[in-house]
Amino acid sequence: MSARILYGKEFAAQIKESARIEIEKLKNKFHVTPGLAVIIVGENPASQVYVRNKHKSCEELGINSVVVEMAETSTKEELLAKIDELNADKNIHGILVQLPLPDAIKNHSDEILNRIDPLKDVDGFHPMNVGKLVTGSPALVPCTPAGCVEMLNLAGIEIDGKRAVIIGRSNIVGKPMLHLLMAKNATVTVCHSHTKKLAEVTREADILVAAMGKPQFVKADMIKPGAVVIDVGINRIAPKKLVGDVDFDAAAEVASAITPVPGGVGLLTVAMLMKNVVTAVKLQIGV
Ligand code: GUN
């Protein structure tokens, strides 16, 4: 079998187009121009690329984008003060602190992220937004897993009643993905580094999500024939070679549909961020 390849580009374009229409409405009807502030601390090259992409998407869609560049040596207090300032800024509706933070303040990441006003938390990482997702009243939801689920919807792939297996239990992908898929009535298993007989579990999946950050770890014999495979990994294995967490070529012979890396779900993350900015504006102005 040769799988249908789910390119992120076409789905991201659809999500962005509906965000663009919503943004026009916010401007015309409510005289609000959505504003997003992205804070980047230090000079991590991958983060710089991600932040540039977010800025570009904002410009395309008519969101006022502010990139706050802070020195690698910034202290926790300086970062908290900047977040306080943005929390109070009426023209800023979304705030995102690009991760990872520099080593010197990395262990304060939770305290820093928790300082963002939950209504402006377009990453969906604040405990209040995590709690809402878990209890089934989602507000702002992490962009990457939300993008994967949106892509399945747009691709016409049924989730209801399916067995879903997620490899990886991060706060950014694995855990929110569990709740999003469960909310769509999948039966979900989360695997991780301590899971015994991993391949036996993954072979039960109708929908297999790889999000553990190990290059080409998921082999063809770990996939049930006809399964849908979502690869959230981005691993640089050579200066110009990015691969996912799935051994793509072999997996594509077994799966019915699969996302490539690059060109897969990464593009959806930015599109969902744009959608979250719209949601944040609506939450703040009460429409
Ligand atoms: N770094 C990698 N992924 C993400 C993300 O989804 N949000 C933020 N803020 N930083 C990231």
Side-chain angles (χ1 to χ4, degrees):
M1 192 194 302
S2 206
R4 169 183 178 191
I5 301 182
L6 301 168
Y7 293 104
K9 200 171 166 179
E10 54 184 285
F11 302 111
Q14 290 180 53
I15 296 165
K16 281 192 190 174
E17 179 54 19
S18 44
R20 196 187 59 72
I21 291 165
E22 294 275 324
I23 289 162
E24 287 231 328
K25 249 194 257 169
L26 289 170
K27 287 184 180 175
N28 295 335
K29 213 165 148 189
F30 301 102
H31 310 291
V32 177
T33 299
L36 171 68
V38 174
I39 302 175
I40 177 167
V41 187
E43 287 172 11
N44 178 315
S47 291
Q48 286 174 325
V49 173
Y50 295 141
V51 170
R52 212 175 304 135
N53 288 340
K54 289 167 185 172
H55 180 70
K56 239 172 58 192
S57 282
C58 284
E59 293 205 317
E60 273 171 39
L61 301 187
I63 294 173
N64 176 29
S65 161
V66 178
V67 177
V68 180
E69 292 175 305
M70 297 182 69
E72 180 90 21
T73 51
S74 299
T75 62
K76 178 186 86 174
E77 288 72 24
E78 285 168 336
L79 200 42
L80 292 176
K82 178 50 78 178
I83 292 170
D84 288 344
E85 183 189 318
L86 295 166
N87 279 340
D89 187 336
K90 296 244 176 319
N91 294 319
I92 295 296
H93 304 89
I95 304 170
L96 181 152
V97 176
Q98 187 65 34
L99 300 175
L101 288 167
D103 286 344
I105 52 172
K106 208 176 194 150
N107 57 340
H108 299 296
S109 294
D110 282 348
E111 185 184 348
I112 289 163
L113 295 177
N114 295 357
R115 188 74 156 238
I116 297 171
D117 179 343
L119 293 176
K120 297 191 177 187
D121 168 38
V122 285
D123 254 332
F125 294 164
H126 190 286
M128 187 177 290
N129 286 318
V130 175
K132 285 186 172 179
L133 174 61
V134 172
T135 54
S137 54
L140 292 163
V141 174
C143 301
T144 300
C148 295
V149 172
E150 189 78 12
M151 183 190 63
L152 292 174
N153 284 338
L154 292 170
I157 294 169
E158 181 77 271
I159 299 174
D160 198 312
K162 296 286 175 66
R163 285 293 307 266
V165 174
I166 301 162
I167 317 175
R169 53 177 161 177
S170 70
N171 290 336
I172 295 183
V173 182
K175 287 182 202 166
M177 184 75 90
L178 156 66
H179 294 288
L180 289 168
L181 290 171
M182 195 158 55
K184 296 274 183 196
N185 299 320
T187 300
V188 191
T189 303
V190 180
C191 301
H192 45 75
S193 51
H194 292 233
T195 299
K196 304 256 192 320
K197 300 187 176 169
L198 178 66
E200 282 183 21
V201 184
T202 59
R203 273 197 299 269
E204 297 205 343
D206 303 309
I207 299 170
L208 179 61
V209 180
M212 68 295 195
K214 287 191 183 163
Q216 298 169 314
F217 177 86
V218 175
K219 305 294 181 197
D221 64 1
M222 297 170 70
I223 299 167
K224 175 161 93 175
V228 174
V229 178
I230 311 286
D231 190 351
V232 188
I234 302 180
N235 310 284
R236 191 173 292 281
I237 57 167
K240 288 200 169 165
K241 179 126 178 95
L242 289 177
V243 297
D245 289 350
V246 177
D247 183 7
F248 180 85
D249 291 341
E253 293 300 312
V254 181
S256 63
I258 186 167
T259 63
V261 178
V265 302
L267 298 167
L268 289 155
T269 299
V270 181
M272 292 307 284
L273 175 64
M274 303 297 109
K275 185 172 172 178
N276 270 356
V277 174
V278 172
T279 305
V281 174
K282 289 181 172 175
L283 289 169
Q284 286 161 55
I285 66 174
V287 297

